[in-house]
Amino acid sequence: MDPAIEEGGTRKRKYVAEKGKAKKKKHLSTMVNAEKERLEKLVFGDPSYMLRNMGFGDPDSGVEDDGAQDSDTYSDTLASPPRVPAWVDEDDMLSVTGDSVRSGQDINNSAEYGKFLRRKFQSVYGEPSWAKLNKADEEHRDEEDQELLRTCGNMLNKSSYLAKSFLRIKRLASLNCETRNEGPIIKAVRFHPTSTVALVAGVSGCASIIQVDGKTNPKLASVRFDRFPIRCARFSADGSEFIVGSHRHSHFYVYDMIQGSTLTIYTHHNVGQTNMKKFEVSPDSKLIAIAGRFGQIHLLSAKSKEWIGNLAMNGNVEAITFDSDGTSLYSHGELGEVHIWDVNRRCLTGRFLDDGCLVGTSIAISPCGSYLAAGSSSGVVNIYDKRALLARAERSPTPLKAIMNLVTPVKQVTFNHSSQLLGIASDEKDNAVKMVHLPSMTVYQNFPALNEPIGRVQNFAFSPSSGYFSCGNNKNTAYLYRLKHFGDY
């Protein structure tokens, strides 16, 4: 055979064999793909079947829509088909003719019939008052809403109630930071009742009048009383003068803040007054009560400073205070009894034993007239319901709360102007001063601070609106604090 013909036949057979292999390979690939598609539909479901159930065909899958769905009804945006009511209420399809409504028109559904009945009711009875809307009020309310939305300030007013868990207090410059000559022991710290002025006095016999601003606290004036160690000082009720007394002298001084003059007041020896270390001025500016010796309480006229009478109690008098209107006087003393006096009739109206008290050392009445606080030599402060004391007249009443945060004699208890705070202090231990929240009667734990040495507090006071609190110590300093919950002064 010719070699050229044999070579051509060989190439042809190879081509036919390769073509057959390619066809088999393509057929096998088609079968594999079909099997994969079958398995995917079996596992994941057929997407064309899901689309048909929703009323759409998948143009990419080659599955056509059902004959019930035409292209005019469904758009290419896959919009939802119109919903068919589940049932048809025959009453909704009733037609009310003109004969029944007497208006010569047909009403084809209940909505129009309801409008017709509403118009007919209003034409006969008119519109009811409760259905009328005040458009002016609505417009005003809308304007208020728009004004509220145009602001981003605080929409809630500050609460008038003092928080009981944390006392917002800030220490400022000392009240006597410019003077420092009243001590070494500050025995009196008082705030003026109407002006932003404070009085600081001590055993050196010097009384300083200070402008309270919380920053520099400039001195306005200083008054020195020779050889007269001051133990007590009080403003008059109108603030026109202040009185200073000493434990070494029976006389006392009155300083006129208007004229800037000092007046010395002497007492007769028959009165029995030997010192002025403890005295109080009544809120109505009528009396001055002085704690004397042997249970005597001396009463002077606040205007003329003349003696007008005495009161006597069992045991020595350790503390006295007037109630908020000045008609009653309360005294506490050596036998642990609290005496209640009518100062107008000069007679005793009641007395009771302070619970667990051996020697009473301090007493105070809240400005609201609801509480009576009594301190004792053991460091306990009992808080009573004052109204219940007067109503029940019990010999041994039970206190509402016994404050036991002090362990040395309580020398002073004082309420603030709103009766939400009660200050208690002892002068026999460092940092022995506490603030009590009312009416919860809980003691604030954040005052005084642990790293804040205050010394031994001799006297303290709240400003008229409780914006400031000051305490004088045994280191010639009158500390000043800002109570942030209350007003500026």
Side-chain angles (χ1 to χ4, degrees):
M1 182 181 294
D2 189 359
I5 296 174
E6 185 178 357
E7 183 178 356
T10 302
R11 284 198 303 268
K12 186 176 181 180
R13 286 193 298 270
K14 288 183 179 180
Y15 172 76
V16 172
E18 290 177 359
K19 188 176 181 181
K21 290 181 180 179
K23 287 183 178 181
K24 289 182 179 180
K25 187 175 181 180
K26 183 178 180 180
H27 179 67
L28 181 61
S29 177
T30 303
M31 293 178 61
V32 171
N33 292 336
E35 184 65 17
K36 285 184 179 180
E37 184 177 356
R38 187 184 68 82
L39 293 176
E40 288 178 357
K41 291 180 179 180
L42 182 63
V43 176
F44 300 106
D46 189 356
S48 62
Y49 176 75
M50 296 173 60
L51 290 174
R52 284 197 301 271
N53 285 343
M54 292 189 295
F56 305 102
D58 187 0
D60 296 332
S61 64
V63 180
E64 296 181 356
D65 296 338
D66 295 338
Q69 302 171 347
D70 53 55
S71 60
D72 294 335
T73 306
Y74 300 96
S75 66
D76 295 336
T77 59
L78 300 181
S80 300
R83 302 176 65 181
V84 180
W87 71 88
V88 176
D89 194 345
E90 296 179 357
D91 294 337
D92 293 340
M93 304 303 295
L94 290 178
S95 176
V96 184
T97 62
D99 295 336
S100 62
V101 300
R102 297 181 182 178
S103 62
Q105 60 180 352
D106 291 338
I107 299 178
N108 298 321
N109 55 46
S110 58
E112 294 182 3
Y113 186 54
K115 292 179 182 179
F116 166 76
L117 292 178
R118 188 177 297 108
R119 288 194 301 268
K120 185 175 180 180
F121 177 85
Q122 291 179 357
S123 64
V124 176
Y125 300 100
E127 186 178 6
S129 59
W130 57 265
K132 294 181 180 179
L133 296 177
N134 191 336
K135 295 184 177 180
D137 292 344
E138 290 294 329
E139 292 177 358
H140 179 65
R141 192 175 296 109
D142 292 342
E143 291 177 0
E144 290 183 350
D145 294 342
Q146 292 297 329
E147 183 66 25
L148 181 64
L149 294 175
R150 281 195 293 267
T151 62
C152 60
N154 186 11
M155 298 182 184
L156 298 177
N157 294 328
K158 184 174 69 172
S159 174
S160 60
Y161 297 100
L162 182 65
K164 66 178 182 179
S165 58
F166 184 82
L167 182 64
R168 297 173 58 210
I169 188 169
K170 179 183 178 181
R171 184 168 171 174
L172 306 175
S174 299
L175 202 57
N176 62 338
C177 58
E178 279 196 5
T179 57
R180 299 278 184 174
N181 58 355
E182 300 85 7
I185 301 176
I186 305 296
K187 282 294 184 179
V189 177
R190 307 300 293 180
F191 287 95
H192 195 274
T194 58
S195 302
T196 55
V197 173
L199 173 67
V200 179
V203 296
S204 67
C206 181
S208 298
I209 303 172
I210 298 168
Q211 178 74 38
V212 181
D213 62 4
K215 299 178 180 178
T216 59
N217 302 321
K219 182 188 74 172
L220 300 180
S222 287
V223 184
R224 181 169 291 278
F225 305 96
D226 294 334
R227 292 179 291 181
F228 192 84
I230 299 173
R231 287 292 297 269
C232 187
R234 295 289 186 270
F235 280 107
S236 61
D238 59 0
S240 62
E241 61 187 21
F242 68 82
I243 306 169
V244 293
S246 176
H247 63 291
R248 293 183 181 178
H249 304 280
S250 60
H251 67 276
F252 58 95
Y253 293 97
V254 179
Y255 181 81
D256 192 324
M257 297 188 65
I258 306 299
Q259 299 180 359
S261 59
T262 302
L263 180 64
T264 306
I265 306 296
Y266 294 95
T267 58
H268 197 275
H269 64 276
N270 289 337
V271 174
Q273 177 185 333
T274 59
N275 63 73
M276 282 280 290
K277 65 179 181 179
K278 294 176 183 177
F279 67 91
E280 293 291 339
V281 180
S282 65
D284 56 1
S285 297
K286 292 183 179 180
L287 295 174
I288 299 174
I290 305 168
R293 299 172 62 189
F294 310 118
Q296 295 289 318
I297 302 174
H298 311 288
L299 300 178
L300 308 181
S301 170
K303 184 176 182 180
S304 64
K305 311 300 185 295
E306 294 179 339
W307 174 82
I308 58 176
N310 282 347
L311 302 173
M313 60 174 282
N314 297 329
N316 289 330
V317 183
E318 298 294 337
I320 54 176
T321 187
F322 286 94
D323 62 359
S324 57
D325 58 3
T327 58
S328 298
L329 178 70
Y330 293 76
S331 62
H332 203 6
E334 186 179 19
L335 301 181
E337 277 189 321
V338 176
H339 291 68
I340 306 173
W341 309 90
D342 187 332
V343 295
N344 294 323
R345 296 185 296 164
R346 312 284 194 273
C347 65
L348 182 69
T349 59
R351 62 179 180 175
F352 65 90
L353 289 172
D354 187 11
D355 187 59
C357 176
L358 298 178
V359 177
T361 54
S362 56
I363 191 170
I365 304 294
S366 65
C368 68
S370 299
Y371 304 106
L372 183 150
S376 65
S377 59
S378 61
V380 178
V381 177
N382 290 325
I383 302 176
Y384 295 91
D385 185 344
K386 176 176 170 288
R387 297 187 179 95
L389 290 175
L390 300 179
R392 299 173 185 174
E394 297 179 0
R395 179 61 177 164
S396 301
T398 302
L400 299 174
K401 180 73 173 183
I403 308 298
M404 302 183 180
N405 292 71
L406 301 180
V407 295
T408 51
V410 182
K411 292 300 182 182
Q412 184 180 355
V413 290
T414 302
F415 291 91
N416 79 320
H417 82 289
S418 63
S419 303
Q420 296 185 74
L421 272 180
L422 170 65
I424 60 176
S426 174
D427 61 355
E428 297 186 11
K429 189 176 181 180
D430 289 346
N431 286 25
V433 56
K434 294 292 182 182
M435 292 283 192
V436 183
H437 174 268
L438 297 171
S440 67
M441 302 183 190
T442 57
V443 179
Y444 287 103
Q445 300 299 320
N446 65 308
F447 180 82
L450 296 177
N451 57 350
E452 182 180 7
I454 297 179
R456 298 188 177 185
V457 176
Q458 307 293 313
N459 189 264
F460 66 85
F462 294 98
S463 63
S465 296
S466 304
Y468 291 98
F469 169 80
S470 181
C471 56
N473 65 4
N474 61 337
K475 298 180 180 179
N476 200 17
T477 304
Y479 291 112
L480 182 65
Y481 296 87
R482 176 76 171 92
L483 296 174
K484 298 182 180 180
H485 174 82
F486 299 100
D488 293 337
Y489 180 70

